[in-house]
Amino acid sequence: MSAAILAIGTEITRGEIVNTNASWLADTLVGLGLEVTAMEAIPDDKAQIVATLRRLSTEHQLILCTGGLGPTTDDMTSECVATLLGVPLVRDAASLEAIRERMARFGRTMATSNEKQADFPQGAQVLENRKGTAPGFGVSIGKARAFFMPGVPREMKTMFTESVSPELSPLVTDAIVQIRVKTFGMPESSVNDRLSGVESEHDVALAYRAHFPEIEVKVVARGADRTATEKRARAAADAVIERLGPDVVYGEGAITFPEAIGELLQAAGLRLGTAESCTGGLVAEVITERGGASAFFDGAIVSYANHVKTSRLGVSKELLAAHGAVSAETARAMAQGALDALGVDVAVATTGIAGPTGGSSEKPVGLVHFAVADHKGVSDRQMRFPGSREQVRKLSAFAVLALLRNVLRNGHDA
Amino acid sequence: MSAAILAIGTEITRGEIVNTNASWLADTLVGLGLEVTAMEAIPDDKAQIVATLRRLSTEHQLILCTGGLGPTTDDMTSECVATLLGVPLVRDAASLEAIRERMARFGRTMATSNEKQADFPQGAQVLENRKGTAPGFGVSIGKARAFFMPGVPREMKTMFTESVSPELSPLVTDAIVQIRVKTFGMPESSVNDRLSGVESEHDVALAYRAHFPEIEVKVVARGADRTATEKRARAAADAVIERLGPDVVYGEGAITFPEAIGELLQAAGLRLGTAESCTGGLVAEVITERGGASAFFDGAIVSYANHVKTSRLGVSKELLAAHGAVSAETARAMAQGALDALGVDVAVATTGIAGPTGGSSEKPVGLVHFAVADHKGVSDRQMRFPGSREQVRKLSAFAVLALLRNVLRNGHDA
């Protein structure tokens, strides 16, 4: 089984938008046990669309195509498929009505240009679009099965999940079990090294997916018997967790690193605040990225200017003068000051040089001090992060949360 | 001139990483006046790499390839190109030495596996890699010129800009002039409608690039004479700016919306602070995203919990009880409170329901109140944003900055 993913749209080949549909579909297909051996993107050009589909249908058994189903003259996927198959376009009354209804619901009247969205190559299997006006369709091109979906990611994902994915199960005979192990704090090459041998030992495949700065290790087991496959996946995931250790592995499944820390805080009945300099609000931002943070997070003081460190966090002018704003002492004082200022049980603080300018030989760009304080004590760390300003800030936010996780699990440094 | 972009790497065809190299290269090529008519990605498979390069070389005059130049056994681009051309791989002494030196600088010794990164198809033009160990190379395949670059975006971009781009100028005879007009606050479809006719009137092409929630309008003029082309581009850009108006257009070139606001603040000699509830630090984060914000930004108080709104921003318990945390009154009180709390000249505030839960029929998910206060007065707005929590928060952060821009330019609401 070899699958191809094709995106149709000049906005992609001109680089105006990034083709995230392709990676989402590939990742999802791999999860279903299918292999993607080609990803292509081509402009809105009739001859090229027909020729590309013809070629792909001789090389692959499955083609997933996105884009070109809209109402404008640029959108010509249905027409091209009809040409390729040598069949006429036929208007589907049910789809026409669904488009009309959907537009009416949003207070719009259907334009003539929308009508063509209900035209499909004769004999096509129509796929409902619950999130937009353009329905999709499925056809056979020679020995290949091809599905055509809208280019809007939200519409495509819903259509794939609800209408295309069920059609693919006959293509896969094996049971597929996936377990996602979430990690932070170890570079991908080291994760890779540590896990060498797990694949052959447990007869699974490991895939790595970086959501910077997190790395997800996906354990994929495949076999005829579901129960045995689940058991194998579980054993392999346990081996992954054991080899990487609890300081690196923070959870399984869809959970994010900040969410995992939120769970620890809630379990301990502790409320969190942040005091931020170089991260400029990013620590608070990642903590509140997913809903539900109000259960453990009270607020933040971003003390970008030194006078705010003094007035709002009680960092003394003497301490700032003696050690500088970027120092372990300032990070500790900021975290301690935030406990009172925000009325919280535990506080984290960051201060550093995110760059691209402002570094010196003594305090280079990328140097960040961070601290965690509660009513039992304070712990601090310093790191020198590589990369751009954006990377330094993101790594700083995650590193201070990693220190918090360490304090919550193991207490303060002795 | 037809160009193809090829990415080699199973991590891409498995959907483990998004192929941002392709869109960056396409966007850059369009800027140089070249047209990309195919984008492909294939796995690390020798037969497929050779076959794909052979096919692309018959269909295109230029091939830009990324990936497969690393030290591991998966990396086989050089070998495949040598096979395709029927030439041996030849070790390049200068590259070998450069790799050794680079690794020594980072305290590493060169492994045997790194040596193959200095092997190139006989006759290839070697391209220096200033950001990593893998050099690139250029060859002719039939009538096509092909350039092979590393898959790491930072390394690829530097190599393309410094070594590949200069090679492409003979392919373009026309002068190309681009002007990027930056906008916020108008949906893409409306921008599109407003600009209808500009292309034909001024003989330019317009391209839209969305960096959510900003939209960049790229004006591209092309002609034999550089001075005339520059004039044409300028006239078209002026027409774009006039049609969209100063409330929507905030700048030209690489400037971001927060940077444009920073420039206004600096010009007025004003220092900014933020008071944030639903945005959870995101406003401060976008303001400090680029370096230099310390010239006008002092800090933020993220008052996620109501007790922080009261204790740190002086929002009275009575006001919170009477109007609720999500109200124009609270937003105004937060902004006014932040003036004193942060010792700043002007403050912005956000409070709303970012979702996905917490909404009611009276105060639905997506409802956000925001305010801007200085020592002359307060202005507020409310919006109901569509979309996910992430989108609501991002739109809120930009909308409050848009209100700030409006106050800085036009003063407070009468």
Side-chain angles (χ1 to χ4, degrees):
Chain A
M1 249 311 300
S2 150
I5 296 171
L6 174 66
I8 296 174
T10 306
E11 70 280 16
I12 292 171
T13 55
R14 290 179 66 95
E16 289 167 19
I17 57 171
V18 175
N19 184 9
T20 55
N21 283 339
S23 52
W24 186 87
L25 281 169
D27 186 47
T28 308
L29 289 176
V30 168
L32 294 170
L34 298 165
E35 204 186 347
V36 177
T37 51
M39 275 181 181
E40 304 196 11
I42 53 176
D44 299 310
D45 177 275
K46 196 171 167 179
Q48 204 179 344
I49 295 171
V50 172
T52 304
L53 284 170
R54 182 174 290 131
R55 172 168 54 76
L56 291 176
S57 71
T58 64
E59 294 169 351
H60 306 273
Q61 287 85 59
L62 175 65
I63 303 169
L64 294 177
C65 184
T66 58
L69 301 180
T72 73
T73 49
D74 283 356
D75 295 302
M76 49 183 103
T77 300
S78 301
E79 192 190 333
C80 292
V81 175
T83 302
L84 174 62
L85 297 176
V87 298
L89 282 172
V90 178
R91 187 151 295 179
D92 181 57
S95 297
L96 193 67
E97 197 40 42
I99 296 169
R100 197 192 310 277
E101 269 174 27
R102 183 176 180 85
M103 296 190 77
R105 223 182 318 142
F106 287 88
R108 293 159 59 197
T109 26
M110 190 161 83
T112 317
S113 57
N114 287 110
E115 291 179 13
K116 85 173 174 98
Q117 296 187 291
D119 293 345
F120 303 98
Q122 193 170 53
Q125 166 195 10
V126 177
L127 307 171
E128 190 197 1
N129 185 342
R130 288 203 311 104
K131 303 282 180 183
T133 54
F137 63 94
V139 297
S140 292
I141 307 175
K143 288 181 184 161
R145 188 71 189 161
F147 295 94
F148 297 84
M149 298 175 283
V152 179
R154 213 165 61 100
E155 301 180 18
M156 184 280 291
K157 289 177 190 177
T158 303
M159 187 178 291
F160 180 85
T161 307
E162 295 179 355
S163 307
V164 178
S165 183
E167 303 281 322
L168 303 183
S169 43
L171 299 176
V172 189
T173 44
D174 282 354
I176 306 280
V177 178
Q178 278 198 70
I179 299 176
R180 295 157 69 190
V181 178
K182 310 295 293 274
T183 81
F184 171 72
M186 188 181 276
E188 186 168 339
S189 56
S190 309
V191 170
N192 209 316
D193 288 350
R194 284 268 187 110
L195 300 183
S196 116
V198 169
E199 290 186 305
S200 55
E201 242 167 70
H202 294 272
D203 188 18
V204 296
L206 298 184
Y208 301 90
R209 187 159 193 175
H211 305 265
F212 180 82
E214 300 179 52
I215 293 164
E216 176 182 308
V217 181
K218 201 156 62 181
V219 178
V220 185
R222 186 172 181 153
D225 179 68
R226 174 154 288 274
T227 314
T229 308
E230 275 169 2
K231 220 164 158 179
R232 202 144 40 78
R234 188 64 260 164
D238 289 343
V240 166
I241 293 165
E242 203 197 315
R243 288 196 189 198
L244 298 178
D247 289 341
V248 171
V249 175
Y250 67 79
E252 271 183 34
I255 194 169
T256 65
F257 190 54
E259 280 182 312
I261 285 157
E263 287 187 1
L264 282 178
L265 288 164
Q266 279 185 267
L270 298 173
R271 300 196 64 86
L272 175 70
T274 76
E276 310 188 35
S277 189
C278 64
T279 49
L282 183 62
V283 184
E285 201 275 317
V286 302
I287 289 168
T288 58
E289 204 165 25
R290 297 260 181 120
S294 56
F296 59 87
F297 178 71
D298 277 359
I301 290 175
V302 179
S303 55
Y304 218 61
N306 281 347
H307 73 84
V308 179
K309 293 185 182 75
T310 302
S311 69
R312 292 301 118 190
L313 294 168
V315 181
S316 75
K317 285 183 183 166
E318 293 69 33
L319 186 147
L320 284 169
H323 301 283
V326 178
S327 62
E329 290 78 4
T330 298
R332 293 172 71 96
M334 285 171 66
Q336 286 176 300
L339 289 177
D340 270 356
L342 295 166
V344 291
D345 306 304
V346 55
V348 302
T350 59
T351 182
I353 297 157
T357 58
S360 64
S361 58
E362 206 193 331
K363 296 186 178 181
V365 166
L367 175 70
V368 182
H369 290 273
F370 36 96
V372 172
D374 58 20
H375 295 291
K376 286 181 237 153
V378 195
S379 293
D380 69 86
R381 293 281 187 283
Q382 75 167 64
M383 294 286 285
R384 187 178 164 194
F385 296 118
S388 66
R389 177 178 176 88
E390 191 188 344
Q391 288 172 322
V392 169
R393 279 156 58 99
K394 195 103 192 216
L395 283 166
S396 299
F398 274 66
V400 78
L401 292 179
L403 178 59
L404 170 59
R405 184 165 175 265
N406 187 40
V407 169
L408 290 172
R409 291 174 63 242
N410 309 316
H412 284 287
D413 302 339
Chain B
M1 248 311 300
S2 149
I5 296 171
L6 174 65
I8 296 174
T10 305
E11 70 280 15
I12 291 171
T13 55
R14 290 180 66 98
E16 290 167 19
I17 57 172
V18 175
N19 185 9
T20 56
N21 284 339
S23 52
W24 187 87
L25 280 169
D27 185 48
T28 308
L29 288 177
V30 168
L32 294 171
L34 299 166
E35 204 186 346
V36 177
T37 51
M39 274 181 181
E40 303 196 12
I42 52 176
D44 299 308
D45 177 276
K46 193 169 170 183
Q48 204 179 343
I49 296 170
V50 172
T52 304
L53 283 170
R54 183 175 289 132
R55 172 169 54 76
L56 291 176
S57 70
T58 64
E59 295 168 351
H60 306 272
Q61 287 84 59
L62 175 65
I63 302 169
L64 294 177
C65 185
T66 57
L69 300 180
T72 73
T73 50
D74 283 355
D75 296 301
M76 49 183 100
T77 299
S78 300
E79 191 190 332
C80 292
V81 175
T83 302
L84 174 62
L85 297 176
V87 299
L89 282 172
V90 178
R91 186 149 298 179
D92 181 58
S95 298
L96 192 68
E97 196 42 40
I99 297 169
R100 196 192 311 276
E101 267 173 26
R102 185 176 177 87
M103 297 191 73
R105 225 181 319 141
F106 287 88
R108 293 159 60 199
T109 26
M110 190 161 84
T112 317
S113 57
N114 287 109
E115 290 179 13
K116 86 174 173 93
Q117 295 186 292
D119 292 346
F120 304 98
Q122 193 170 51
Q125 166 195 11
V126 177
L127 308 170
E128 189 196 2
N129 185 341
R130 287 205 308 107
K131 303 282 181 182
T133 54
F137 62 95
V139 298
S140 292
I141 308 174
K143 285 179 187 164
R145 188 71 190 162
F147 295 94
F148 297 84
M149 297 175 284
V152 178
R154 213 165 61 101
E155 300 179 19
M156 184 279 291
K157 289 177 189 177
T158 304
M159 188 179 290
F160 179 85
T161 307
E162 294 180 355
S163 307
V164 178
S165 184
E167 303 281 324
L168 303 183
S169 44
L171 300 175
V172 189
T173 44
D174 281 355
I176 306 281
V177 179
Q178 278 198 73
I179 300 177
R180 296 157 68 189
V181 178
K182 310 296 293 274
T183 81
F184 171 71
M186 188 180 277
E188 186 168 339
S189 56
S190 310
V191 170
N192 209 316
D193 288 351
R194 286 269 186 110
L195 299 183
S196 118
V198 169
E199 289 184 308
S200 54
E201 243 168 68
H202 294 272
D203 187 18
V204 296
L206 298 184
Y208 300 91
R209 187 159 195 176
H211 305 266
F212 180 83
E214 300 179 54
I215 293 163
E216 176 182 308
V217 181
K218 201 157 62 180
V219 177
V220 185
R222 186 172 180 151
D225 179 69
R226 173 155 287 275
T227 312
T229 308
E230 274 169 4
K231 221 165 159 178
R232 203 144 39 77
R234 187 66 259 163
D238 289 344
V240 167
I241 292 165
E242 203 197 314
R243 288 196 187 198
L244 298 178
D247 288 342
V248 172
V249 175
Y250 67 80
E252 271 183 33
I255 195 169
T256 65
F257 192 54
E259 280 181 312
I261 284 157
E263 287 186 0
L264 282 178
L265 288 164
Q266 279 186 267
L270 298 172
R271 301 196 64 86
L272 175 71
T274 76
E276 309 187 36
S277 190
C278 65
T279 48
L282 184 61
V283 185
E285 202 275 316
V286 303
I287 290 168
T288 57
E289 204 166 24
R290 297 257 181 122
S294 57
F296 59 87
F297 178 72
D298 276 1
I301 290 177
V302 179
S303 56
Y304 218 62
N306 281 348
H307 73 83
V308 179
K309 292 184 183 73
T310 303
S311 69
R312 291 301 116 192
L313 293 168
V315 181
S316 76
K317 285 183 184 165
E318 293 69 31
L319 187 147
L320 284 170
H323 302 283
V326 177
S327 63
E329 290 78 4
T330 298
R332 293 171 70 95
M334 286 170 65
Q336 287 178 298
L339 289 177
D340 269 357
L342 294 166
V344 291
D345 307 303
V346 55
V348 301
T350 61
T351 181
I353 297 157
T357 60
S360 65
S361 58
E362 206 194 330
K363 295 187 177 180
V365 166
L367 175 70
V368 182
H369 289 273
F370 36 95
V372 172
D374 59 20
H375 295 291
K376 286 180 235 152
V378 195
S379 294
D380 69 86
R381 292 283 188 283
Q382 74 168 64
M383 294 286 284
R384 187 177 165 196
F385 296 116
S388 66
R389 177 179 176 86
E390 190 187 345
Q391 288 171 322
V392 169
R393 280 156 56 98
K394 195 102 192 216
L395 283 165
S396 301
F398 274 66
V400 78
L401 293 180
L403 178 59
L404 170 60
R405 183 164 175 268
N406 188 39
V407 169
L408 291 172
R409 290 174 64 241
N410 308 315
H412 285 288
D413 303 339

